[in-house]
Amino acid sequence: MFTQKKKAYYSKILGFKTIEDFEMFSKRYLKYLENQTLTKNRIMSGFFILVEIQKEAHKNKSLINFDNVKNQHIKKYANEILDLRKNGTGSLSIANFLFENHRVKISRGTIEKFYKQNGL
């Protein structure tokens, strides 16, 4: 329906954090308007759908700061890394844990940078 660039632009305008949230909104709104005559009330109902999806996105969004994190493994195992750090585990131990349990190599410095960025 839209290009990725347009989806990113529209999701930014509507206040969504991800493109997936915009896609969910557009699909729900399209389904809602399908086979109905357009009235002011039907169009305005779309804003309630929008607000509902934004609330869901904020609830599901954890408070993890992913700014300047390009490593996909850090993003995937972020909760695990932060939990280990909260329990007092050092960055080298976390790197070894991730390699042993998930076969993922992440440098000690990258892990330190990530949990310092998140206030731990």
Side-chain angles (χ1 to χ4, degrees):
M1 181 160 54
F2 296 113
T3 63
Q4 286 298 98
K5 190 174 182 180
K6 289 243 184 206
K7 286 179 187 178
Y9 175 72
Y10 293 145
S11 65
K12 183 179 178 185
I13 287 175
L14 293 173
F16 292 123
K17 299 289 182 189
T18 62
I19 294 173
E20 290 81 24
D21 292 334
F22 169 72
E23 289 174 342
M24 184 176 15
F25 165 71
S26 61
K27 287 176 186 174
R28 279 184 63 185
Y29 195 48
L30 180 66
K31 192 161 200 92
Y32 175 75
L33 293 176
E34 210 170 63
N35 299 325
Q36 295 181 16
T37 49
L38 291 178
T39 63
K40 290 179 190 175
N41 288 335
R42 286 209 169 71
I43 292 171
M44 292 304 293
S45 297
F47 292 108
F48 294 111
I49 294 171
L50 174 67
V51 169
E52 182 182 320
I53 290 175
Q54 285 175 337
K55 284 180 184 177
E56 273 181 36
H58 287 288
K59 274 194 282 185
N60 295 336
K61 173 82 172 143
S62 61
L63 300 175
I64 298 174
N65 184 2
F66 288 114
D67 292 345
N68 300 324
V69 174
K70 296 177 183 174
N71 192 324
Q72 294 300 315
H73 300 302
I74 290 281
K75 291 179 182 179
K76 185 174 183 181
Y77 300 112
N79 290 328
E80 224 170 320
I81 292 169
L82 293 176
D83 287 341
L84 288 168
R85 182 61 187 164
K86 285 177 187 173
N87 292 332
T89 308
S91 56
L92 186 59
S93 298
I94 293 171
N96 291 335
F97 174 83
L98 290 173
F99 183 74
E100 289 172 4
N101 292 315
H102 302 290
R103 295 289 181 227
V104 172
K105 277 199 169 207
I106 302 173
S107 71
R108 179 184 59 81
T110 305
I111 292 171
E112 278 182 14
K113 184 176 148 189
F114 174 67
Y115 67 69
K116 284 181 182 176
Q117 179 178 339
N118 283 286
L120 294 176

